[in-house]
Amino acid sequence: MSVAHRAMERLREWPDLDVGPACCGMGRAVRTAECEIVHFHSDRDADLHLTEPAIRHLAAHLGRSTAIRLVPESQWVTVHLDTERDADVLLCLVSVALQAHARCAGAAPHRCNLNRVTFPDRRDYQMC
């Protein structure tokens, strides 16, 4: 079972979250009654609808992670899920996203980062 699949299974246990097809047409989504929060596009990548205010608030921290990619003008961040630690980061950010969405209920949906982000294989880097 992939890291992404295990993360999705963990989120399935959270109250008020459901899993279904992603509105972008690729993969599965974890959603509240109001909006999609996470798109699992593959066994290794997930897009998280974090919202613009939350991204702005966390930008310095998000930019330091090798597992996270920010796309200019996007309200989504892409998380590369290589390890269980990456999944833990995703789940922490889902909590932030749920709080952010509660503050901006009724906002129009935004396009996720599907096909706008790539990650190099971390195994290609040598450890110092």
Side-chain angles (χ1 to χ4, degrees), residues 50-68:
L50 200 49
T51 77
E52 188 273 329
I55 291 171
R56 188 176 57 244
H57 181 73
L58 297 171
H61 301 288
L62 296 172
R64 286 188 215 128
S65 173
T66 59
I68 296 174

Side-chain angles (χ1 to χ4, degrees), residues 8-125:
M8 185 172 53
E9 290 303 311
R10 288 169 63 187
L11 288 170
R12 191 184 297 262
E13 297 172 2
W14 290 23
D16 302 323
L17 293 181
D18 292 311
V19 175
C23 67
C24 64
M26 178 67 145
R28 307 290 289 165
V30 175
R31 61 171 296 117
T32 66
E34 292 82 30
C35 63
E36 293 183 0
I37 300 293
V38 183
H39 288 179
F40 288 94
H41 293 302
S42 71
D43 286 341
R44 297 182 73 177
D45 297 308
D47 280 347
L48 172 67
H49 191 188
L50 200 49
T51 77
E52 188 273 329
I55 291 171
R56 188 176 57 244
H57 181 73
L58 297 171
H61 301 288
L62 296 172
R64 286 188 215 128
S65 173
T66 59
I68 296 174
R69 291 294 183 269
L70 303 173
V71 174
E73 308 300 320
S74 178
Q75 294 204 11
W76 296 72
V77 299
T78 302
V79 182
H80 192 62
L81 301 165
D82 267 340
T83 67
E84 291 301 323
R85 184 173 180 202
D86 298 333
D88 292 341
V89 168
L90 174 67
L91 271 61
C92 287
L93 289 173
V94 167
S95 182
V96 172
L98 290 170
Q99 292 174 28
H101 282 279
R103 288 190 290 277
C104 62
H110 295 269
R111 183 176 153 231
C112 71
N113 293 340
L114 180 63
N115 298 322
R116 299 194 303 171
V117 173
T118 59
F119 286 90
D121 190 337
R122 289 190 225 174
R123 293 173 289 194
D124 291 341
Y125 297 104

